[in-house]
Amino acid sequence: MMSNTNSSCSQPTKFNLVQVKGAWTRQSEPCQLTEGRLSDANIYENKSDHGVSWTVVSPIVFTYRVIQCKNILDPSNDTLLWGHIGDEEVKGTLSNSKPVKRFVVIDETVNQLYGSRLRQYFEAREVAHKILPLPTTEENKCMELVTKILEEVHEFGIDRRSEPIVAVGGGVCLDVVGLAASLYRRRTPYVRVPTTVLAYVDASVGAKTGVNFAGGKNKLGSYVPPVATFLDRSFFQTLPSRQISNGMAEMLKMALMKHRGLFELLEAGGRKLLRAKLQSCETSNSSKQEDNATALMRIAIETMLEELAPNLWEDDLDRLVDFGHLISPELEMRVLPALLHGEAVNIDMSFMVYVALQKGLLTADEKDRVIQCMLGLELPVWHPDFTLALVQKSLKERLRHSAGSLRMPLPTGLGSAEIFHDTIEDNIFCQAFQKWTDELSSSWNK
Ligand SMILES: NC(=O)c1ccc[n+]([C@@H]2O[C@H](COP(=O)([O-])OP(=O)(O)OC[C@H]3O[C@@H](n4cnc5c(N)ncnc54)[C@H](O)[C@@H]3O)[C@@H](O)[C@H]2O)c1
Ligand SMILES: [Zn+2]
């Protein structure tokens, strides 16, 4: 026993990997490279009484571009075809090697609205293309859609090194296509073109893909970022107002968690921005100063990228982006399709603002300002199915999946937050729930 324990505790030997004339070989540290190429990977060798074991540490770097642009479907705009390539030389080589091919999956509704312009774009650019419209709704968000995409991609044929699959649509379309691309030939590059506000500020900028499975939301999926995301907010012009409010809830989340300026923009101009469908007005377009809509969208993306980039694989469970997402998944699934994702998130945030008030983190005045801002964005702040029993069930469920302590992001001001590793203090939640219901239940109209 003793000798086993001792030997298994021995320090592993670290090896670097060096490539000379095609062959990789191990070199123990310190590694003096006189020729060849050094890998970022390492092999650790451990000898024990049972034999030898090796541990491979091989970092994978993902690089992806998020590009705000205008007139993405204008044939003179290069972005849709080449925006994913940063290197001008590579871009030149690829664009001159004919024929260029693109496989595009587009949400059926978006196809009705923008399909003909998309076709014209590819025709004008002489791109061999296949455009596949699909009913990418939440109810259809399952593996069958993924399989359908894979069959069509396979039949069309693409070069997986230079011809990314393009997804044009809302979050459902982007998630499904992302999963298909991450499966095809073990990983094929893909591009996201979000056409809803929610997809623009949330689903398009991170690495997550997924479909619903076994009754659970996004139960199958992968962490594979796109090679690029192209953000053109002119698509919002055809969105119903409710869909705009839906996406603005996710912006409000980032505002409350970490950006007072963003909160103030939403507080002062939210209703107006909603009416304008987040488009810049003519006059401000021509002036040098950034208008409110442009500033709002830029800060929403910047704040989101700051939180996602260092934690792309969600290894760290302390995530500010989880604000509003503790109780809302249960609520959303329970009342589906009555509430949109952002609406459920907003109801959760509204309740959590009362929890923060109860804990003394927010003043009554700050709480009022947040609720008024939510109402200005035409978002629901209370729901009859958001019961105390649902709160307790969700928190317990959350506790089970978060390594023993509740990790609860809460605002500590307008634009600042902390993660609280609380135990489930029933009293705080009960008191907050009572006050929340007393003050806001009358806002509910069926
Ligand atoms: N991967 C992630 O990190 C992530 C993050 C947030 C949400 N999501 C996922 O995103 C999905 C929700 O996304 P969503 O809110 O975009 O929903 P959605 O994709 O269902 O789109 C909403 C509706 O808008 C329509 N539509 C899309 N663009 C339009 C346009 N320009 N004009 C008119 N109609 C248009 C669609 O046909 C659909 O009916 C959920 O499945 C959620 O799980 C993923
Ligand atoms: Zn969300």
Side-chain angles (χ1 to χ4, degrees), residues 107 109-110 113-114 136-138 141 169-173 175 195-196 198-199 202-203 208-209 217-218 235-236 238-240 243 246 341:
D107 173 282
T109 308
V110 179
L113 295 161
Y114 301 94
T136 46
T137 60
E138 194 62 47
K141 194 184 180 190
V172 174
C173 180
D175 273 6
T195 59
T196 64
L198 188 98
D202 196 345
K208 289 194 279 186
T209 76
K217 213 169 140 56
N218 300 324
F235 287 113
F236 303 163
T238 49
L239 279 175
Q243 288 285 350
N246 182 44
H341 175 73

PDB file of all heavy atoms in Angstrom, residues 107 109-110 113-114 136-138 141 169-173 175 195-196 198-199 202-203 208-209 217-218 235-236 238-240 243 246 341, ligand 1:
ATOM      1  N   ASP A 107     -33.853  30.745 -42.107  1.00  0.00           N
ATOM      2  CA  ASP A 107     -35.159  30.598 -41.466  1.00  0.00           C
ATOM      3  C   ASP A 107     -36.243  30.862 -42.524  1.00  0.00           C
ATOM      4  O   ASP A 107     -36.107  31.784 -43.334  1.00  0.00           O
ATOM      5  CB  ASP A 107     -35.226  31.629 -40.330  1.00  0.00           C
ATOM      6  CG  ASP A 107     -36.590  31.719 -39.681  1.00  0.00           C
ATOM      7  OD1 ASP A 107     -37.490  32.353 -40.279  1.00  0.00           O
ATOM      8  OD2 ASP A 107     -36.749  31.180 -38.587  1.00  0.00           O
ATOM      9  N   THR A 109     -39.260  32.143 -42.531  1.00  0.00           N
ATOM     10  CA  THR A 109     -39.854  33.489 -42.554  1.00  0.00           C
ATOM     11  C   THR A 109     -38.851  34.499 -43.104  1.00  0.00           C
ATOM     12  O   THR A 109     -39.191  35.371 -43.885  1.00  0.00           O
ATOM     13  CB  THR A 109     -40.263  33.908 -41.117  1.00  0.00           C
ATOM     14  OG1 THR A 109     -41.058  32.868 -40.570  1.00  0.00           O
ATOM     15  CG2 THR A 109     -41.015  35.209 -41.103  1.00  0.00           C
ATOM     16  N   VAL A 110     -37.621  34.367 -42.696  1.00  0.00           N
ATOM     17  CA  VAL A 110     -36.577  35.292 -43.166  1.00  0.00           C
ATOM     18  C   VAL A 110     -36.376  35.108 -44.667  1.00  0.00           C
ATOM     19  O   VAL A 110     -36.148  36.070 -45.405  1.00  0.00           O
ATOM     20  CB  VAL A 110     -35.259  35.059 -42.384  1.00  0.00           C
ATOM     21  CG1 VAL A 110     -34.163  35.992 -42.862  1.00  0.00           C
ATOM     22  CG2 VAL A 110     -35.490  35.227 -40.890  1.00  0.00           C
ATOM     23  N   LEU A 113     -38.845  37.062 -46.551  1.00  0.00           N
ATOM     24  CA  LEU A 113     -38.583  38.502 -46.507  1.00  0.00           C
ATOM     25  C   LEU A 113     -37.311  38.908 -47.251  1.00  0.00           C
ATOM     26  O   LEU A 113     -37.248  39.974 -47.858  1.00  0.00           O
ATOM     27  CB  LEU A 113     -38.477  38.959 -45.046  1.00  0.00           C
ATOM     28  CG  LEU A 113     -39.760  38.831 -44.217  1.00  0.00           C
ATOM     29  CD1 LEU A 113     -39.438  38.869 -42.725  1.00  0.00           C
ATOM     30  CD2 LEU A 113     -40.719  39.965 -44.571  1.00  0.00           C
ATOM     31  N   TYR A 114     -36.277  38.087 -47.152  1.00  0.00           N
ATOM     32  CA  TYR A 114     -34.961  38.503 -47.666  1.00  0.00           C
ATOM     33  C   TYR A 114     -34.351  37.516 -48.661  1.00  0.00           C
ATOM     34  O   TYR A 114     -33.256  37.758 -49.164  1.00  0.00           O
ATOM     35  CB  TYR A 114     -33.977  38.699 -46.498  1.00  0.00           C
ATOM     36  CG  TYR A 114     -34.428  39.722 -45.499  1.00  0.00           C
ATOM     37  CD1 TYR A 114     -35.132  39.349 -44.350  1.00  0.00           C
ATOM     38  CD2 TYR A 114     -34.174  41.082 -45.700  1.00  0.00           C
ATOM     39  CE1 TYR A 114     -35.568  40.292 -43.419  1.00  0.00           C
ATOM     40  CE2 TYR A 114     -34.597  42.020 -44.775  1.00  0.00           C
ATOM     41  CZ  TYR A 114     -35.295  41.624 -43.638  1.00  0.00           C
ATOM     42  OH  TYR A 114     -35.718  42.556 -42.739  1.00  0.00           O
ATOM     43  N   THR A 136     -37.259  26.846 -38.841  1.00  0.00           N
ATOM     44  CA  THR A 136     -36.442  26.769 -37.614  1.00  0.00           C
ATOM     45  C   THR A 136     -37.180  27.427 -36.435  1.00  0.00           C
ATOM     46  O   THR A 136     -36.855  28.534 -36.015  1.00  0.00           O
ATOM     47  CB  THR A 136     -35.060  27.418 -37.829  1.00  0.00           C
ATOM     48  OG1 THR A 136     -35.241  28.683 -38.488  1.00  0.00           O
ATOM     49  CG2 THR A 136     -34.162  26.558 -38.672  1.00  0.00           C
ATOM     50  N   THR A 137     -38.184  26.712 -35.949  1.00  0.00           N
ATOM     51  CA  THR A 137     -38.941  27.203 -34.787  1.00  0.00           C
ATOM     52  C   THR A 137     -38.502  26.440 -33.544  1.00  0.00           C
ATOM     53  O   THR A 137     -37.892  25.367 -33.642  1.00  0.00           O
ATOM     54  CB  THR A 137     -40.447  26.967 -34.983  1.00  0.00           C
ATOM     55  OG1 THR A 137     -40.644  25.542 -35.123  1.00  0.00           O
ATOM     56  CG2 THR A 137     -40.979  27.663 -36.220  1.00  0.00           C
ATOM     57  N   GLU A 138     -38.850  26.976 -32.384  1.00  0.00           N
ATOM     58  CA  GLU A 138     -38.463  26.338 -31.114  1.00  0.00           C
ATOM     59  C   GLU A 138     -39.044  24.913 -31.037  1.00  0.00           C
ATOM     60  O   GLU A 138     -38.379  23.996 -30.560  1.00  0.00           O
ATOM     61  CB  GLU A 138     -38.983  27.194 -29.950  1.00  0.00           C
ATOM     62  CG  GLU A 138     -38.397  26.874 -28.592  1.00  0.00           C
ATOM     63  CD  GLU A 138     -36.881  27.076 -28.481  1.00  0.00           C
ATOM     64  OE1 GLU A 138     -36.377  28.117 -28.906  1.00  0.00           O
ATOM     65  OE2 GLU A 138     -36.216  26.160 -27.956  1.00  0.00           O
ATOM     66  N   LYS A 141     -36.893  22.551 -33.002  1.00  0.00           N
ATOM     67  CA  LYS A 141     -35.452  22.637 -32.742  1.00  0.00           C
ATOM     68  C   LYS A 141     -34.938  21.286 -32.237  1.00  0.00           C
ATOM     69  O   LYS A 141     -34.748  21.083 -31.028  1.00  0.00           O
ATOM     70  CB  LYS A 141     -35.211  23.742 -31.692  1.00  0.00           C
ATOM     71  CG  LYS A 141     -33.767  24.181 -31.575  1.00  0.00           C
ATOM     72  CD  LYS A 141     -33.583  25.206 -30.464  1.00  0.00           C
ATOM     73  CE  LYS A 141     -32.145  25.645 -30.357  1.00  0.00           C
ATOM     74  NZ  LYS A 141     -31.878  26.446 -29.161  1.00  0.00           N
ATOM     75  N   GLY A 169     -30.761  33.790 -39.742  1.00  0.00           N
ATOM     76  CA  GLY A 169     -32.041  33.676 -39.048  1.00  0.00           C
ATOM     77  C   GLY A 169     -31.936  34.040 -37.577  1.00  0.00           C
ATOM     78  O   GLY A 169     -30.956  34.665 -37.142  1.00  0.00           O
ATOM     79  N   GLY A 170     -32.941  33.612 -36.813  1.00  0.00           N
ATOM     80  CA  GLY A 170     -32.947  33.866 -35.377  1.00  0.00           C
ATOM     81  C   GLY A 170     -32.082  32.850 -34.637  1.00  0.00           C
ATOM     82  O   GLY A 170     -31.386  32.033 -35.260  1.00  0.00           O
ATOM     83  N   GLY A 171     -32.157  32.893 -33.316  1.00  0.00           N
ATOM     84  CA  GLY A 171     -31.320  32.034 -32.478  1.00  0.00           C
ATOM     85  C   GLY A 171     -31.520  30.557 -32.743  1.00  0.00           C
ATOM     86  O   GLY A 171     -30.565  29.774 -32.667  1.00  0.00           O
ATOM     87  N   VAL A 172     -32.749  30.166 -33.097  1.00  0.00           N
ATOM     88  CA  VAL A 172     -32.997  28.747 -33.345  1.00  0.00           C
ATOM     89  C   VAL A 172     -32.192  28.301 -34.562  1.00  0.00           C
ATOM     90  O   VAL A 172     -31.467  27.299 -34.516  1.00  0.00           O
ATOM     91  CB  VAL A 172     -34.506  28.470 -33.558  1.00  0.00           C
ATOM     92  CG1 VAL A 172     -34.728  27.025 -33.968  1.00  0.00           C
ATOM     93  CG2 VAL A 172     -35.299  28.793 -32.295  1.00  0.00           C
ATOM     94  N   CYS A 173     -32.294  29.065 -35.630  1.00  0.00           N
ATOM     95  CA  CYS A 173     -31.567  28.728 -36.863  1.00  0.00           C
ATOM     96  C   CYS A 173     -30.053  28.673 -36.600  1.00  0.00           C
ATOM     97  O   CYS A 173     -29.376  27.720 -36.982  1.00  0.00           O
ATOM     98  CB  CYS A 173     -31.908  29.759 -37.940  1.00  0.00           C
ATOM     99  SG  CYS A 173     -31.094  29.469 -39.502  1.00  0.00           S
ATOM    100  N   ASP A 175     -28.436  28.181 -33.794  1.00  0.00           N
ATOM    101  CA  ASP A 175     -28.067  27.067 -32.908  1.00  0.00           C
ATOM    102  C   ASP A 175     -28.053  25.736 -33.657  1.00  0.00           C
ATOM    103  O   ASP A 175     -27.149  24.908 -33.474  1.00  0.00           O
ATOM    104  CB  ASP A 175     -29.066  26.965 -31.744  1.00  0.00           C
ATOM    105  CG  ASP A 175     -28.684  27.854 -30.576  1.00  0.00           C
ATOM    106  OD1 ASP A 175     -27.715  28.619 -30.713  1.00  0.00           O
ATOM    107  OD2 ASP A 175     -29.360  27.784 -29.527  1.00  0.00           O
ATOM    108  N   THR A 195     -30.783  37.563 -37.403  1.00  0.00           N
ATOM    109  CA  THR A 195     -31.796  38.477 -37.928  1.00  0.00           C
ATOM    110  C   THR A 195     -32.795  38.910 -36.857  1.00  0.00           C
ATOM    111  O   THR A 195     -33.715  39.657 -37.140  1.00  0.00           O
ATOM    112  CB  THR A 195     -32.555  37.825 -39.103  1.00  0.00           C
ATOM    113  OG1 THR A 195     -33.163  36.621 -38.619  1.00  0.00           O
ATOM    114  CG2 THR A 195     -31.637  37.515 -40.269  1.00  0.00           C
ATOM    115  N   THR A 196     -32.648  38.390 -35.621  1.00  0.00           N
ATOM    116  CA  THR A 196     -33.466  38.890 -34.504  1.00  0.00           C
ATOM    117  C   THR A 196     -32.544  39.627 -33.531  1.00  0.00           C
ATOM    118  O   THR A 196     -31.324  39.396 -33.542  1.00  0.00           O
ATOM    119  CB  THR A 196     -34.166  37.746 -33.736  1.00  0.00           C
ATOM    120  OG1 THR A 196     -33.156  36.928 -33.144  1.00  0.00           O
ATOM    121  CG2 THR A 196     -35.044  36.899 -34.637  1.00  0.00           C
ATOM    122  N   LEU A 198     -32.495  39.238 -30.285  1.00  0.00           N
ATOM    123  CA  LEU A 198     -31.965  38.282 -29.310  1.00  0.00           C
ATOM    124  C   LEU A 198     -30.756  37.526 -29.879  1.00  0.00           C
ATOM    125  O   LEU A 198     -29.738  37.353 -29.207  1.00  0.00           O
ATOM    126  CB  LEU A 198     -33.051  37.284 -28.890  1.00  0.00           C
ATOM    127  CG  LEU A 198     -32.594  36.412 -27.738  1.00  0.00           C
ATOM    128  CD1 LEU A 198     -33.119  36.946 -26.417  1.00  0.00           C
ATOM    129  CD2 LEU A 198     -32.981  34.970 -27.903  1.00  0.00           C
ATOM    130  N   ALA A 199     -30.886  37.107 -31.118  1.00  0.00           N
ATOM    131  CA  ALA A 199     -29.783  36.369 -31.734  1.00  0.00           C
ATOM    132  C   ALA A 199     -28.569  37.277 -31.935  1.00  0.00           C
ATOM    133  O   ALA A 199     -27.426  36.853 -31.770  1.00  0.00           O
ATOM    134  CB  ALA A 199     -30.232  35.784 -33.072  1.00  0.00           C
ATOM    135  N   ASP A 202     -27.004  37.952 -28.332  1.00  0.00           N
ATOM    136  CA  ASP A 202     -26.764  36.829 -27.434  1.00  0.00           C
ATOM    137  C   ASP A 202     -26.317  35.572 -28.187  1.00  0.00           C
ATOM    138  O   ASP A 202     -25.139  35.200 -28.145  1.00  0.00           O
ATOM    139  CB  ASP A 202     -28.048  36.556 -26.627  1.00  0.00           C
ATOM    140  CG  ASP A 202     -27.808  35.694 -25.417  1.00  0.00           C
ATOM    141  OD1 ASP A 202     -26.731  35.072 -25.351  1.00  0.00           O
ATOM    142  OD2 ASP A 202     -28.673  35.629 -24.525  1.00  0.00           O
ATOM    143  N   ALA A 203     -27.254  34.959 -28.940  1.00  0.00           N
ATOM    144  CA  ALA A 203     -26.957  33.652 -29.545  1.00  0.00           C
ATOM    145  C   ALA A 203     -25.809  33.688 -30.551  1.00  0.00           C
ATOM    146  O   ALA A 203     -25.182  32.674 -30.814  1.00  0.00           O
ATOM    147  CB  ALA A 203     -28.210  33.105 -30.219  1.00  0.00           C
ATOM    148  N   LYS A 208     -21.824  28.527 -28.175  1.00  0.00           N
ATOM    149  CA  LYS A 208     -22.765  27.426 -27.942  1.00  0.00           C
ATOM    150  C   LYS A 208     -23.658  27.129 -29.149  1.00  0.00           C
ATOM    151  O   LYS A 208     -24.162  28.038 -29.789  1.00  0.00           O
ATOM    152  CB  LYS A 208     -23.652  27.745 -26.741  1.00  0.00           C
ATOM    153  CG  LYS A 208     -22.893  27.686 -25.437  1.00  0.00           C
ATOM    154  CD  LYS A 208     -23.820  27.668 -24.257  1.00  0.00           C
ATOM    155  CE  LYS A 208     -24.310  29.046 -23.914  1.00  0.00           C
ATOM    156  NZ  LYS A 208     -25.106  29.057 -22.683  1.00  0.00           N
ATOM    157  N   THR A 209     -23.849  25.833 -29.401  1.00  0.00           N
ATOM    158  CA  THR A 209     -24.815  25.402 -30.406  1.00  0.00           C
ATOM    159  C   THR A 209     -25.751  24.427 -29.700  1.00  0.00           C
ATOM    160  O   THR A 209     -25.427  23.965 -28.608  1.00  0.00           O
ATOM    161  CB  THR A 209     -24.128  24.648 -31.563  1.00  0.00           C
ATOM    162  OG1 THR A 209     -23.802  23.326 -31.106  1.00  0.00           O
ATOM    163  CG2 THR A 209     -22.861  25.347 -32.039  1.00  0.00           C
ATOM    164  N   LYS A 217     -34.464  21.747 -22.880  1.00  0.00           N
ATOM    165  CA  LYS A 217     -33.994  22.812 -23.771  1.00  0.00           C
ATOM    166  C   LYS A 217     -32.483  22.695 -23.998  1.00  0.00           C
ATOM    167  O   LYS A 217     -31.719  22.570 -23.032  1.00  0.00           O
ATOM    168  CB  LYS A 217     -34.319  24.152 -23.100  1.00  0.00           C
ATOM    169  CG  LYS A 217     -34.641  25.246 -24.098  1.00  0.00           C
ATOM    170  CD  LYS A 217     -35.221  26.455 -23.396  1.00  0.00           C
ATOM    171  CE  LYS A 217     -34.693  27.736 -23.982  1.00  0.00           C
ATOM    172  NZ  LYS A 217     -34.895  27.906 -25.399  1.00  0.00           N
ATOM    173  N   ASN A 218     -32.085  22.709 -25.235  1.00  0.00           N
ATOM    174  CA  ASN A 218     -30.670  22.648 -25.621  1.00  0.00           C
ATOM    175  C   ASN A 218     -29.901  21.512 -24.920  1.00  0.00           C
ATOM    176  O   ASN A 218     -28.751  21.688 -24.526  1.00  0.00           O
ATOM    177  CB  ASN A 218     -29.976  23.978 -25.328  1.00  0.00           C
ATOM    178  CG  ASN A 218     -30.615  25.119 -26.102  1.00  0.00           C
ATOM    179  OD1 ASN A 218     -31.039  24.956 -27.235  1.00  0.00           O
ATOM    180  ND2 ASN A 218     -30.701  26.283 -25.474  1.00  0.00           N
ATOM    181  N   PHE A 235     -32.032  44.108 -40.487  1.00  0.00           N
ATOM    182  CA  PHE A 235     -32.992  42.999 -40.458  1.00  0.00           C
ATOM    183  C   PHE A 235     -34.116  43.248 -39.447  1.00  0.00           C
ATOM    184  O   PHE A 235     -35.201  42.705 -39.571  1.00  0.00           O
ATOM    185  CB  PHE A 235     -32.290  41.681 -40.099  1.00  0.00           C
ATOM    186  CG  PHE A 235     -31.430  41.096 -41.196  1.00  0.00           C
ATOM    187  CD1 PHE A 235     -30.054  41.029 -41.058  1.00  0.00           C
ATOM    188  CD2 PHE A 235     -31.999  40.601 -42.366  1.00  0.00           C
ATOM    189  CE1 PHE A 235     -29.254  40.472 -42.053  1.00  0.00           C
ATOM    190  CE2 PHE A 235     -31.212  40.045 -43.369  1.00  0.00           C
ATOM    191  CZ  PHE A 235     -29.833  39.980 -43.213  1.00  0.00           C
ATOM    192  N   PHE A 236     -33.839  44.052 -38.425  1.00  0.00           N
ATOM    193  CA  PHE A 236     -34.839  44.246 -37.351  1.00  0.00           C
ATOM    194  C   PHE A 236     -36.093  44.973 -37.843  1.00  0.00           C
ATOM    195  O   PHE A 236     -37.116  44.956 -37.188  1.00  0.00           O
ATOM    196  CB  PHE A 236     -34.258  45.055 -36.178  1.00  0.00           C
ATOM    197  CG  PHE A 236     -33.024  44.461 -35.553  1.00  0.00           C
ATOM    198  CD1 PHE A 236     -32.208  45.250 -34.733  1.00  0.00           C
ATOM    199  CD2 PHE A 236     -32.672  43.141 -35.757  1.00  0.00           C
ATOM    200  CE1 PHE A 236     -31.069  44.722 -34.149  1.00  0.00           C
ATOM    201  CE2 PHE A 236     -31.530  42.609 -35.181  1.00  0.00           C
ATOM    202  CZ  PHE A 236     -30.724  43.400 -34.375  1.00  0.00           C
ATOM    203  N   THR A 238     -38.162  44.334 -40.017  1.00  0.00           N
ATOM    204  CA  THR A 238     -39.335  43.500 -40.279  1.00  0.00           C
ATOM    205  C   THR A 238     -39.770  42.694 -39.048  1.00  0.00           C
ATOM    206  O   THR A 238     -40.671  41.872 -39.133  1.00  0.00           O
ATOM    207  CB  THR A 238     -39.037  42.524 -41.441  1.00  0.00           C
ATOM    208  OG1 THR A 238     -37.779  41.887 -41.185  1.00  0.00           O
ATOM    209  CG2 THR A 238     -38.978  43.250 -42.777  1.00  0.00           C
ATOM    210  N   LEU A 239     -39.120  42.921 -37.918  1.00  0.00           N
ATOM    211  CA  LEU A 239     -39.479  42.171 -36.703  1.00  0.00           C
ATOM    212  C   LEU A 239     -40.672  42.814 -36.004  1.00  0.00           C
ATOM    213  O   LEU A 239     -40.756  44.049 -35.914  1.00  0.00           O
ATOM    214  CB  LEU A 239     -38.313  42.174 -35.710  1.00  0.00           C
ATOM    215  CG  LEU A 239     -37.175  41.183 -35.902  1.00  0.00           C
ATOM    216  CD1 LEU A 239     -36.088  41.462 -34.868  1.00  0.00           C
ATOM    217  CD2 LEU A 239     -37.661  39.736 -35.762  1.00  0.00           C
ATOM    218  N   PRO A 240     -41.589  41.996 -35.455  1.00  0.00           N
ATOM    219  CA  PRO A 240     -42.642  42.567 -34.621  1.00  0.00           C
ATOM    220  C   PRO A 240     -42.018  43.197 -33.368  1.00  0.00           C
ATOM    221  O   PRO A 240     -40.970  42.736 -32.898  1.00  0.00           O
ATOM    222  CB  PRO A 240     -43.492  41.355 -34.226  1.00  0.00           C
ATOM    223  CG  PRO A 240     -43.013  40.216 -35.046  1.00  0.00           C
ATOM    224  CD  PRO A 240     -41.661  40.544 -35.572  1.00  0.00           C
ATOM    225  N   GLN A 243     -40.725  41.056 -30.517  1.00  0.00           N
ATOM    226  CA  GLN A 243     -39.422  40.399 -30.707  1.00  0.00           C
ATOM    227  C   GLN A 243     -38.269  41.359 -30.383  1.00  0.00           C
ATOM    228  O   GLN A 243     -37.201  40.931 -29.958  1.00  0.00           O
ATOM    229  CB  GLN A 243     -39.283  39.908 -32.154  1.00  0.00           C
ATOM    230  CG  GLN A 243     -40.155  38.711 -32.502  1.00  0.00           C
ATOM    231  CD  GLN A 243     -39.633  37.407 -31.910  1.00  0.00           C
ATOM    232  OE1 GLN A 243     -38.519  37.347 -31.388  1.00  0.00           O
ATOM    233  NE2 GLN A 243     -40.443  36.377 -31.964  1.00  0.00           N
ATOM    234  N   ASN A 246     -38.049  41.546 -26.645  1.00  0.00           N
ATOM    235  CA  ASN A 246     -37.463  40.269 -26.231  1.00  0.00           C
ATOM    236  C   ASN A 246     -35.936  40.322 -26.199  1.00  0.00           C
ATOM    237  O   ASN A 246     -35.295  39.940 -25.214  1.00  0.00           O
ATOM    238  CB  ASN A 246     -37.962  39.201 -27.225  1.00  0.00           C
ATOM    239  CG  ASN A 246     -37.488  37.804 -26.899  1.00  0.00           C
ATOM    240  OD1 ASN A 246     -37.519  37.396 -25.749  1.00  0.00           O
ATOM    241  ND2 ASN A 246     -37.048  37.077 -27.900  1.00  0.00           N
ATOM    242  N   HIS A 341     -38.229  33.871 -24.761  1.00  0.00           N
ATOM    243  CA  HIS A 341     -37.086  33.698 -23.856  1.00  0.00           C
ATOM    244  C   HIS A 341     -36.774  34.978 -23.059  1.00  0.00           C
ATOM    245  O   HIS A 341     -36.675  34.955 -21.833  1.00  0.00           O
ATOM    246  CB  HIS A 341     -35.869  33.252 -24.674  1.00  0.00           C
ATOM    247  CG  HIS A 341     -34.614  33.154 -23.888  1.00  0.00           C
ATOM    248  ND1 HIS A 341     -34.380  32.143 -22.990  1.00  0.00           N
ATOM    249  CD2 HIS A 341     -33.520  33.968 -23.830  1.00  0.00           C
ATOM    250  CE1 HIS A 341     -33.203  32.327 -22.421  1.00  0.00           C
ATOM    251  NE2 HIS A 341     -32.653  33.425 -22.919  1.00  0.00           N
TER     252      HIS A 341
HETATM  253  N1  LIG B   1     -26.319  29.778 -28.478  1.00  0.00           N
HETATM  254  C1  LIG B   1     -26.551  30.661 -27.553  1.00  0.00           C
HETATM  255  O1  LIG B   1     -25.641  31.102 -26.840  1.00  0.00           O
HETATM  256  C2  LIG B   1     -27.944  31.168 -27.359  1.00  0.00           C
HETATM  257  C3  LIG B   1     -28.156  32.312 -26.586  1.00  0.00           C
HETATM  258  C4  LIG B   1     -29.454  32.802 -26.470  1.00  0.00           C
HETATM  259  C5  LIG B   1     -30.507  32.132 -27.086  1.00  0.00           C
HETATM  260  N2  LIG B   1     -30.265  31.007 -27.831  1.00  0.00           N
HETATM  261  C6  LIG B   1     -31.363  30.294 -28.488  1.00  0.00           C
HETATM  262  O2  LIG B   1     -32.002  31.189 -29.396  1.00  0.00           O
HETATM  263  C7  LIG B   1     -33.351  30.794 -29.558  1.00  0.00           C
HETATM  264  C8  LIG B   1     -34.220  32.035 -29.546  1.00  0.00           C
HETATM  265  O3  LIG B   1     -33.808  32.892 -30.570  1.00  0.00           O
HETATM  266  P1  LIG B   1     -34.792  33.969 -31.232  1.00  0.00           P
HETATM  267  O4  LIG B   1     -35.426  34.748 -30.163  1.00  0.00           O
HETATM  268  O5  LIG B   1     -34.032  34.657 -32.274  1.00  0.00           O
HETATM  269  O6  LIG B   1     -35.977  33.061 -31.813  1.00  0.00           O
HETATM  270  P2  LIG B   1     -36.307  32.446 -33.250  1.00  0.00           P
HETATM  271  O7  LIG B   1     -35.105  31.953 -33.926  1.00  0.00           O
HETATM  272  O8  LIG B   1     -37.409  31.475 -33.010  1.00  0.00           O
HETATM  273  O9  LIG B   1     -36.885  33.698 -34.052  1.00  0.00           O
HETATM  274  C9  LIG B   1     -38.046  34.357 -33.610  1.00  0.00           C
HETATM  275  C10 LIG B   1     -39.066  34.556 -34.727  1.00  0.00           C
HETATM  276  O10 LIG B   1     -38.673  35.643 -35.539  1.00  0.00           O
HETATM  277  C11 LIG B   1     -38.747  35.291 -36.924  1.00  0.00           C
HETATM  278  N3  LIG B   1     -37.747  36.137 -37.579  1.00  0.00           N
HETATM  279  C12 LIG B   1     -36.404  36.034 -37.527  1.00  0.00           C
HETATM  280  N4  LIG B   1     -35.822  37.083 -38.114  1.00  0.00           N
HETATM  281  C13 LIG B   1     -36.811  37.878 -38.565  1.00  0.00           C
HETATM  282  C14 LIG B   1     -36.833  39.115 -39.239  1.00  0.00           C
HETATM  283  N5  LIG B   1     -35.717  39.785 -39.521  1.00  0.00           N
HETATM  284  N6  LIG B   1     -38.045  39.652 -39.562  1.00  0.00           N
HETATM  285  C15 LIG B   1     -39.192  39.020 -39.214  1.00  0.00           C
HETATM  286  N7  LIG B   1     -39.235  37.857 -38.565  1.00  0.00           N
HETATM  287  C16 LIG B   1     -38.047  37.280 -38.236  1.00  0.00           C
HETATM  288  C17 LIG B   1     -38.505  33.816 -36.932  1.00  0.00           C
HETATM  289  O11 LIG B   1     -39.071  33.215 -38.082  1.00  0.00           O
HETATM  290  C18 LIG B   1     -39.238  33.378 -35.671  1.00  0.00           C
HETATM  291  O12 LIG B   1     -40.604  33.213 -35.925  1.00  0.00           O
HETATM  292  C19 LIG B   1     -33.651  29.812 -28.446  1.00  0.00           C
HETATM  293  O13 LIG B   1     -33.793  28.524 -28.998  1.00  0.00           O
HETATM  294  C20 LIG B   1     -32.434  29.871 -27.531  1.00  0.00           C
HETATM  295  O14 LIG B   1     -32.137  28.632 -26.937  1.00  0.00           O
HETATM  296  C21 LIG B   1     -29.013  30.529 -27.974  1.00  0.00           C
END
